[in-house]
Amino acid sequence: TASCDPESGCVYEDVDCEDDDKCYEYECDDDIGCLSYLIDCDDGNECTDDSCDPEVGCVNDERDCTGSSKCFEYDCSPEHGCTKTDVHCDDYDVCTDDCCNHDTGCEYTDVDCDDYNECTTEECVSKAGCVYTQVICNDNDACTDDSCSPSEGCTTTPVDCDDDNKCTDDTCDSEYGCSNIFIDCNDYDYCTIDRCFPCSGCSNQPVDCDDYDECTYDHCSRNEGCVYTNVVCDDYNMCTNDVCLSDSGCEYKDVGPCFCDDDNACTEDTCDPTVGCVNINKVCDDSDPCTEDYCDRRHGCIYEPTEC
């Protein structure tokens, strides 16, 4: 400021630009005069709350990063400010369910391994987790089918030993199970064929003793079976040849004129049904006194003239 002193003349004194507000910096510009600048209180630390108090100037109070949740760990980084990190609640035990309660922090509850299946037993192994073992339903009775129902557990039902075969006797033994033993259809009668049909059972059909041979009598004996007796083809006629043919049976064929031929021209050859062949000597008589009558075996009667 400029003033004039009567004794010394002009007096120039510096202007006092300072103020009581410590939040500003003050200076004087020759052209403009007093200037004030707001102080920058930023200390470059995100962990402080920066402010200015007119009486004291910059205030850098430590920032409170504390939170209300026990599921986070709170901290402050000068570069980034307040940070929060999830609390690690894993107890590395697969048999617990790990969670975090914001009010109480980490909580651990046993894993529920119940699979609601009556056919398994369940347990939890710390390294493997839930382990389910199949229930063995065995009543040690071979005559039951053992099974398991998830809702009821082990059940047993009788084994059906019926093999749908009428030729077997179906039974069950507790130790060995089903037994299907073939039944005996033997009626001890040689005149029947004893068989068994799965759909109907035993069959004892009469034996067919027909040998399709007309030269036998066919019949059946209970103790021996089929018996075949030869047919006797005898018509009691000495002048027939009696034979039997399998296809047609007895045949009686006339022996014919050659059968009784004794190769002697001096006999009359005939056949008598009762006695058979009859060979009667011929009488060579031509009732001529002028011939000599005789018989030659080869040529028969010969009549040679004689002198009369």
Side-chain angles (χ1 to χ4, degrees):
T1 60
S3 64
C4 188
D5 186 307
E7 293 181 1
S8 56
C10 290
V11 177
Y12 299 96
E13 294 180 359
D14 290 334
V15 173
D16 183 8
C17 291
E18 291 291 335
D19 190 76
D20 292 336
D21 191 339
K22 294 183 181 283
C23 291
Y24 292 90
E25 291 182 349
Y26 303 94
E27 67 177 25
C28 188
D29 184 276
D30 291 339
D31 295 324
I32 302 173
C34 288
L35 297 175
S36 62
Y37 302 95
L38 186 63
I39 293 174
D40 182 7
C41 292
D42 186 356
D43 60 359
N45 186 346
E46 294 296 328
C47 292
T48 58
D49 285 327
D50 305 328
S51 63
C52 190
D53 186 322
E55 293 183 0
V56 297
C58 286
V59 178
N60 305 105
D61 293 328
E62 185 177 347
R63 182 175 292 176
D64 183 8
C65 291
T66 303
S68 62
S69 174
K70 292 189 177 182
C71 293
F72 299 106
E73 291 180 352
Y74 300 95
D75 199 357
C76 190
S77 165
E79 294 180 358
H80 303 100
C82 288
T83 60
K84 63 179 181 179
T85 306
D86 290 336
V87 170
H88 186 66
C89 290
D90 190 352
D91 61 356
Y92 301 101
D93 184 350
V94 294
C95 290
T96 60
D97 282 328
D98 308 332
C99 67
C100 190
N101 185 306
H102 287 287
D103 294 328
T104 59
C106 291
E107 294 182 352
Y108 306 96
T109 55
D110 291 336
V111 168
D112 183 7
C113 289
D114 190 355
D115 60 355
Y116 303 100
N117 185 348
E118 295 296 329
C119 296
T120 59
T121 58
E122 51 270 338
E123 62 175 327
C124 193
V125 180
S126 58
K127 292 185 178 180
C130 291
V131 176
Y132 303 95
T133 304
Q134 195 72 27
V135 172
I136 298 175
C137 297
N138 185 2
D139 62 356
N140 297 312
D141 185 347
C143 293
T144 60
D145 280 328
D146 307 325
S147 60
C148 193
S149 166
S151 60
E152 300 178 13
C154 289
T155 60
T156 57
T157 54
V159 169
D160 182 8
C161 290
D162 187 356
D163 59 358
D164 294 319
N165 187 346
K166 298 289 186 181
C167 296
T168 58
D169 184 17
D170 307 326
T171 59
C172 191
D173 180 86
S174 295
E175 183 175 358
Y176 300 105
C178 288
S179 174
N180 309 99
I181 301 174
F182 283 100
I183 60 177
D184 184 6
C185 291
N186 189 358
D187 61 357
Y188 302 99
D189 184 346
Y190 284 96
C191 291
T192 59
I193 297 175
D194 306 327
R195 294 184 296 176
C196 193
F197 298 97
C199 59
S200 58
C202 286
S203 171
N204 308 100
Q205 297 294 322
V207 169
D208 182 6
C209 289
D210 189 353
D211 60 358
Y212 301 100
D213 186 347
E214 296 295 330
C215 295
T216 59
Y217 291 117
D218 308 331
H219 69 280
C220 191
S221 165
R222 182 180 178 85
N223 296 322
E224 299 178 28
C226 289
V227 178
Y228 303 97
T229 305
N230 290 332
V231 172
V232 177
C233 294
D234 187 356
D235 61 356
Y236 304 101
N237 184 344
M238 301 296 291
C239 295
T240 58
N241 188 13
D242 304 336
V243 296
C244 190
L245 301 177
S246 296
D247 294 336
S248 56
C250 290
E251 289 190 2
Y252 307 100
K253 296 183 179 180
D254 195 326
V255 296
C258 294
F259 182 75
C260 291
D261 188 352
D262 59 359
D263 293 325
N264 186 349
C266 294
T267 58
E268 291 287 348
D269 304 325
T270 60
C271 188
D272 183 286
T274 303
V275 298
C277 290
V278 177
N279 308 101
I280 301 173
N281 290 330
K282 291 182 179 179
V283 178
C284 296
D285 185 1
D286 60 358
S287 301
D288 184 350
C290 293
T291 60
E292 182 179 351
D293 306 331
Y294 66 94
C295 190
D296 180 78
R297 285 181 63 88
R298 191 172 182 182
H299 300 97
C301 289
I302 297 176
Y303 305 99
E304 290 185 356
T306 60
E307 293 181 3
C308 290

